[in-house]
Every structure is written in structure tokens, then in C-alpha cells.
Amino acid sequence: MDFVPGGELSRRIREGDVSAESELIRQFEPGLRVLLRRRTGGDYGLLQDLVQETLLVVIQRLRGAGIDDPQKLAAFAAQTARNLAIASLRKAERQKTDVDSDATDRNADPKQNVDGHAADLEAALAVRALLRELPQARDRLMLKRFYLDEHDKDIICQEMDLTEAAFNQALSRARRRFRQILEERGFSKRDLLSSGL
Amino acid sequence: MNQELIERFVAGRLNEAEAEAFEEYCLANPEFARQVEYEQRLKAGIAQVARGSTAEFVRSNHHTARWNFAAAAGILLSLLAMYYAWSHYVPHAVKPLMAAVTTDEQRDGASLRLALVRGNEAAPALQKGLTRVEIVGLFDLGFHYSVTLDRLEKNKKVDTIATLYSQHPSSPVTLEVMIDSDRLQPGTYSLRVRRQASDEEPLDFGFVKF
């Protein structure tokens, strides 16, 4: 689908064009997920909540007062998302200062709460499938060192006796297969927001 | 924008101004943003899988068969031990406190869903009678799991009441057991779910019985 400039989207939404609102969601949702994933510390539930909240705020603003420079709609949406993420973080911090000690005892490992239940389970399942499929132990270890241990490519290549081309080829193969697994399982086809607004 | 820049963004190696400019580029380019998101999800998925153990990353192909054999042998031994205990020590008229879900009637009956939900500090309450407890987490269908029921005493003492071995998840995100609530004293309890034949960290789910 073609990209619709921010100015045109702003004008159409202000004029009450509902299809322009759907277009805005289609255009901005992937970018907002990227932006907010970095700010939600692996909490997938919070990420989805904030994406939806951002789109609601932006659409309501465009339906009403509008924004100063409609050409900068993407920048406005990005800043709205950042502000909401900061507000959410502050709210979470405030809640931490007033905790029932018995409840804390019962939930002794807060990290496990986040990792185990709000995490991106679909991605984890796809990674498991990917790891089972990778024929070379070397490739699995390479993924671990690159993504988990965050070692530099140069160091990994040197220590695993790989050329940079071979490293990039293996990494690119793994990425392609990961995306394919998610798509095959329907995990990437999300229309959660389109119906909710 | 190239792959190297995506890698640097996902690894958190861009400075704040560069990262913000990158994010705004993503908002204006949805297809590019999807590419970045796959990279983020791959990294997050790897971190999630490695949370309990990194064994899946470092296993050699040769060891896989050996571990599968060890797991199978372990399961067989567990089954034999359970059969021996059942046939020698358990009076047949006694109903078990905790058991696997085996019938449609159990599936359609009372149930309690246990999941560690972000921000939820209140433990769910187990209703009276025989209840199906649905445990939500990330499970591997290729493995068996043990489920241990602990009672948490006020003095932080943990009293293990029952353990079920060789439980098979009903889906990649669900494992179910039946608990006879009437046989539990009022108090706070924990269900500990552990993947057998692995060093993965167990998952703990709390509930209360009034």
C-alpha cells in the first residue's frame, strides 16, 4: 500500500474520514511497536497497551484541535508514545513504593513476573522452533553470543574461526527462518488495533 | 538505512538523538519498521528462551539423542516408581489430592486459571470441591513437567503436600491439573512447575484457599 503523507492524513481525519484513521493505524503501528519495545523492558502486555493508547491520543487530537505542523505527524506520534511510556514508568515506580509485604513474599521474584507472563511468548516459541531446526551447533552458539551475550561480530568471528561473510550469511538465514516461522504460525498478522478504535 | 544500523539500534548502541531519529524514520516507513521489529523480537525471544537455561544454544547434535534417551529413561523410572507406590501404599478408595486431568467432565467443571500477571499482587482463590487448575506459561510439548503443591506457612516454612510427575502440557501455553480443594486447609499455597530432565528454573504460581 502507498504511504499517505502526514498532512493529508491529518486533513482527512479532521474532516471525519474514518478510512484515514485506519490508514494512520496501518502506517504508524509498526513504528510505534519498535519505539515502545525499547521503552517497556520486555513487557509485551505494556507494549501493546501503550501502542493502542498512543494511536487513540493521536487520532483524538487530529479529530479535535489538530497539530501545529501536520507534515510532522510522525514526529508528533513518536513524541506522544515517548511521553506515555515515561508516564507509565513513573506510575509503576510510584506503585513500587507502596507494596503489601505479604504479597511481596508470595511473589518473591518480580523479574519472573515480567519475563514469564508479559513476555513475547510467540517470539520465544518461534526461537525454540528455530533452534531445533538449526543443523549446526555453531549457528546456535553464534546466535547466543550475538543476541544474548551481545558480543561484537568481529570477536565472534575471530573466536569461532568464521569469515565475516559466513557470519552474515548464517545470521541472515536465521533471521529469514525466524520471520518465516512467525508468519507460518500467523503470529505476525495482527489486526488487534484496527478493530479496537 | 541498512542492516548494521538496525543491529546497532536493537543492541542499544545508538546515542539517544540517533535512536530518536531512527524511531521517527520507522514511523514514516512501516515496512522498514516491521524489519526492525523482527530483529527486536528475535533478540527478545532468545532472551526469553535463555531465561531458565542456555542449554538449547550450546547443545551439540550428538548430545541431543543422549539427552532424549536420558529423559525417556527418567520418565520410565518415574512411572515404575509411581506404579510401585500406588500398588503398595495407596488404598484404592482414597481420592488423590492432586491428579492429571483425564475426563471431559473434569474439563467442563470448575476451574481456576493461574498466571503471573503484571501488576497483580492479589493471589487468586481456589474454590471448593474438585477444581481444574489451568497453569499459563511457556511450555515445551516435547517435555514432561513435574507439578509440586506447597503450603506456605507464616514463618516462611514451605510444606510440600503433593507432587505430580510426567505431566504433559495441553498446549504450548497451558498445563492443567486437578486439585481437590476440600482436602486442603485454609492458607496460602504455591504450585511449582518444573521441566523434567532440564536445569530450567521452575515457575511458581500462588493461590489461597479460604
Side-chain angles (χ1 to χ4, degrees):
Chain A
M1 281 198 212
D2 294 335
F3 182 79
V4 183
E8 188 187 329
L9 271 181
S10 303
R11 179 186 55 75
R12 283 170 53 198
I13 290 173
R14 187 152 198 195
E15 288 169 358
D17 181 349
V18 180
S19 70
E21 294 180 358
S22 301
E23 185 58 35
L24 179 138
I25 293 167
R26 187 191 67 77
Q27 279 189 194
F28 286 173
E29 192 197 336
L32 287 173
R33 285 205 302 265
V34 167
L35 183 153
L36 287 164
R37 191 179 282 272
R38 192 163 75 92
R39 291 170 167 79
T40 46
D43 187 334
Y44 197 53
L46 179 62
L47 162 70
Q48 289 182 317
D49 288 350
L50 289 177
V51 169
Q52 184 149 4
E53 210 175 328
T54 305
L55 288 166
L56 273 170
V57 169
V58 172
I59 288 174
Q60 278 167 358
R61 179 69 178 264
L62 293 175
R63 282 176 185 166
I67 60 175
D68 293 339
D69 185 353
Q71 300 301 327
K72 293 185 179 168
L73 183 57
F76 174 76
Q79 197 50 48
T80 303
R82 287 179 198 122
N83 292 343
L84 288 171
I86 291 167
S88 162
L89 193 67
R90 283 187 184 141
K91 190 176 164 193
E93 286 299 318
R94 274 201 306 276
Q95 284 173 343
K96 269 188 203 165
T97 61
D98 182 24
V99 175
D100 169 8
S101 58
D102 286 344
T104 308
D105 285 347
R106 285 196 298 271
N107 297 305
D109 184 359
K111 182 176 174 290
Q112 202 171 56
N113 266 341
V114 171
D115 289 353
H117 300 276
D120 188 348
L121 293 182
E122 297 160 354
L125 289 170
V127 165
R128 277 216 166 116
L130 174 69
L131 290 174
R132 277 200 209 100
E133 284 182 17
L134 286 177
Q136 301 277 342
R138 183 201 71 177
D139 289 356
R140 291 190 291 272
L141 186 60
M142 197 191 79
L143 284 179
K144 174 185 174 287
R145 293 195 59 180
F146 185 67
Y147 285 110
L148 191 67
D149 305 333
E150 297 186 336
H151 291 165
D152 280 333
K153 263 185 197 180
D154 297 346
I155 294 171
I156 301 173
C157 287
Q158 198 181 346
E159 291 180 2
M160 295 181 74
D161 198 20
L162 283 166
T163 63
E164 194 181 334
F167 177 92
N168 286 335
Q169 202 179 19
L171 198 59
S172 160
R173 221 174 20 236
R175 281 183 185 127
R176 248 195 334 267
R177 187 58 194 132
F178 173 73
R179 185 169 181 159
Q180 215 174 11
I181 293 168
L182 282 175
E183 284 172 350
E184 278 167 6
R185 297 183 179 197
F187 289 161
S188 63
K189 292 172 187 161
R190 294 158 190 280
D191 294 313
L192 300 175
L193 297 164
S194 316
S195 57
L197 292 172
Chain B
M1 292 277 179
N2 57 22
Q3 184 62 41
E4 196 187 328
L5 197 57
I6 295 176
E7 287 167 11
R8 287 178 58 209
F9 172 78
V10 172
R13 288 178 182 169
L14 296 183
N15 66 38
E16 200 49 35
E18 288 171 333
E20 289 192 0
F22 183 94
E23 288 166 349
E24 279 163 34
Y25 184 85
C26 285
L27 260 93
N29 296 275
E31 193 43 50
F32 177 77
R34 279 189 197 97
Q35 197 184 334
V36 178
E37 196 190 4
Y38 276 113
E39 185 78 2
Q40 287 177 317
R41 295 185 81 188
L42 177 57
K43 185 174 164 68
I46 286 174
Q48 171 73 3
V49 169
R51 185 171 60 88
S53 158
T54 54
E56 286 182 70
F57 296 90
V58 294
R59 71 181 160 83
S60 73
N61 297 334
H62 172 66
H63 286 148
T64 313
R66 207 161 63 187
W67 274 109
N68 286 345
F69 180 75
I75 290 165
L76 189 62
L77 280 173
S78 302
L79 287 171
L80 285 172
M82 278 190 291
Y83 174 73
Y84 181 82
W86 176 75
S87 58
H88 284 76
Y89 300 113
V90 179
H92 289 186
V94 173
K95 287 182 186 170
L97 192 152
M98 187 163 66
V101 178
T102 53
T103 66
D104 288 342
E105 193 185 357
Q106 290 172 334
R107 284 187 203 290
D108 296 338
S111 68
L112 172 70
R113 190 178 166 89
L114 291 181
L116 296 178
V117 179
R118 169 174 54 82
N120 184 10
E121 288 161 6
L126 185 69
Q127 53 269 60
K128 287 182 180 170
L130 198 59
T131 305
R132 179 171 58 88
V133 177
E134 192 179 318
I135 302 162
V136 179
L138 181 64
F139 301 107
D140 191 326
L141 293 174
F143 284 83
H144 284 87
Y145 290 80
S146 68
V147 182
T148 302
L149 177 62
D150 292 328
R151 181 177 153 82
L152 309 177
E153 306 285 351
K154 279 187 179 164
N155 55 5
K156 312 234 173 189
K157 197 181 140 217
V158 176
D159 189 11
T160 297
I161 296 173
T163 302
L164 273 181
Y165 292 96
S166 303
Q167 296 303 297
H168 195 260
S170 48
S171 82
V173 290
T174 319
L175 192 147
E176 299 168 305
V177 292
M178 298 300 299
I179 292 182
D180 189 350
S181 174
D182 295 344
R183 297 186 58 201
L184 294 179
Q185 293 174 3
T188 304
Y189 292 85
S190 158
L191 271 180
R192 172 162 287 208
V193 182
R194 186 191 299 273
R195 192 165 89 173
Q196 288 176 210
S198 86
D199 57 354
E200 197 170 284
E201 288 291 314
L203 294 172
D204 284 310
F205 300 84
F207 66 86
V208 291
K209 160 76 194 297
F210 291 112

